[in-house]
Amino acid sequence: MNKSVYCEPFCIEKGRNFEVHHVKYDEKDPYHCFMHFHEVHEFIIFEKIEGQYFYSQGESELDDFDIVFTPALETHNFSCSDREKSWFIVQFMPHVLGDEKMAKANAFFQHGLHLRLPKSRITEIQQQVHWLLESYQQDPNSARSLVLLQLLILTIGEYAKPALGGINQPITYSPLYEKMLPVINQFRSQSAVELSLIEAANMCHLSPSHFSRMFKQIFRVNFSEYALRHKLYSAARLLSQSTLSITQISYELNFSSPSHFIAQFKKQFSKTPRQFRASMTNTE
């Protein structure tokens, strides 16, 4: 796995318009993700992939060189086979689409999309995203970086076509999603959400059983499992982006003890927090 990449979902560094990362897994390397959302827009531009994409429009089969777009606040996830896989993740602030010259792209990228390119355009898109990564690594705030980001978005919007027919409403417009917003906003704003199922249901003015069914419909796991994974993915980001000790992280995220945190983290990521941090900094 590319060790410079930290755990999804990424967080754009303050003061930047976007981030781009290259992710690569060898055959049978463990891959971890879960149903999540960001406050930013996201492209995943695949090189090698075999798996499924879960998003607001449903579920679809992923092929090499596919592209998926997920707008801010839409839940999404994808699963992969054990074969070798790689992709680029491009996350950008929603205001990037507000530029006047991006109006056509803004109209196109209104909801989750699973896209495919004509074969004649695959090399062009791959070259553009390589240029974007190179420019980002040199200076993410340069005029060149922003222009390359806009060029990539415009090219995808111009030539890529939905892998699935039909246009559906994004999940953020659904009554189900709106009903769940009090709890969803907790996950948006907090690294650790300490709510019981009954407390979460009460916040949404629902019975616990109804809340539980609705929550699983959106996030594909039950509420308690999602809350735990949310904490563990927050821990993964802290391990890769901060100098907090493992003990500090365990208490910051309200685990009962460092040993409990370590056990849960290893169960999720197949590495201890110390091993995970070392792998992210090439010091293992």
Side-chain angles (χ1 to χ4, degrees), residues 38-69:
H38 322 106
E39 295 191 51
V40 296
H41 296 334
E42 176 184 84
F43 284 110
I44 301 177
I45 301 172
F46 291 102
E47 294 174 307
K48 298 178 181 179
I49 188 64
E50 181 181 80
Q52 291 179 301
Y53 179 49
F54 308 100
Y55 64 125
S56 63
Q57 314 305 303
E59 179 179 326
S60 55
E61 297 289 330
L62 292 166
D63 292 326
D64 292 348
F65 303 114
D66 280 2
I67 298 172
V68 298
F69 171 75

Side-chain angles (χ1 to χ4, degrees), residues 34 157 267:
F34 75 124
K267 184 178 178 182

Side-chain angles (χ1 to χ4, degrees), residues 30 32 264-272 275:
H32 302 281
Q264 292 293 327
F265 191 93
K266 187 173 183 180
K267 184 178 178 182
Q268 178 66 37
F269 295 107
S270 303
K271 290 184 177 182
T272 67
Q275 290 169 333

Side-chain angles (χ1 to χ4, degrees), residues 229-278:
R229 291 191 193 182
H230 180 74
K231 289 205 296 186
L232 291 170
Y233 276 71
S234 295
R237 289 196 296 277
L238 288 171
L239 286 164
S240 61
Q241 296 176 311
S242 79
T243 58
L244 290 174
S245 71
I246 290 168
T247 298
Q248 288 173 315
I249 291 173
S250 69
Y251 288 124
E252 170 124 344
L253 297 177
N254 297 316
F255 285 93
S256 58
S257 68
S259 60
H260 180 239
F261 164 55
I262 292 168
Q264 292 293 327
F265 191 93
K266 187 173 183 180
K267 184 178 178 182
Q268 178 66 37
F269 295 107
S270 303
K271 290 184 177 182
T272 67
R274 188 178 304 279
Q275 290 169 333
F276 182 89
R277 172 170 271 169

Side-chain angles (χ1 to χ4, degrees), residues 148-186:
L148 286 170
L149 173 64
Q150 292 174 330
L151 176 63
L152 179 67
I153 295 170
L154 289 169
T155 306
I156 293 172
E158 181 74 20
Y159 296 109
K161 303 298 181 185
L164 296 177
I167 299 297
N168 298 320
Q169 286 280 31
I171 196 170
T172 48
Y173 294 163
S174 73
L176 182 151
Y177 187 91
E178 290 180 1
K179 194 78 173 176
M180 303 292 285
L181 270 178
V183 168
I184 289 172
N185 285 337
Q186 293 273 313

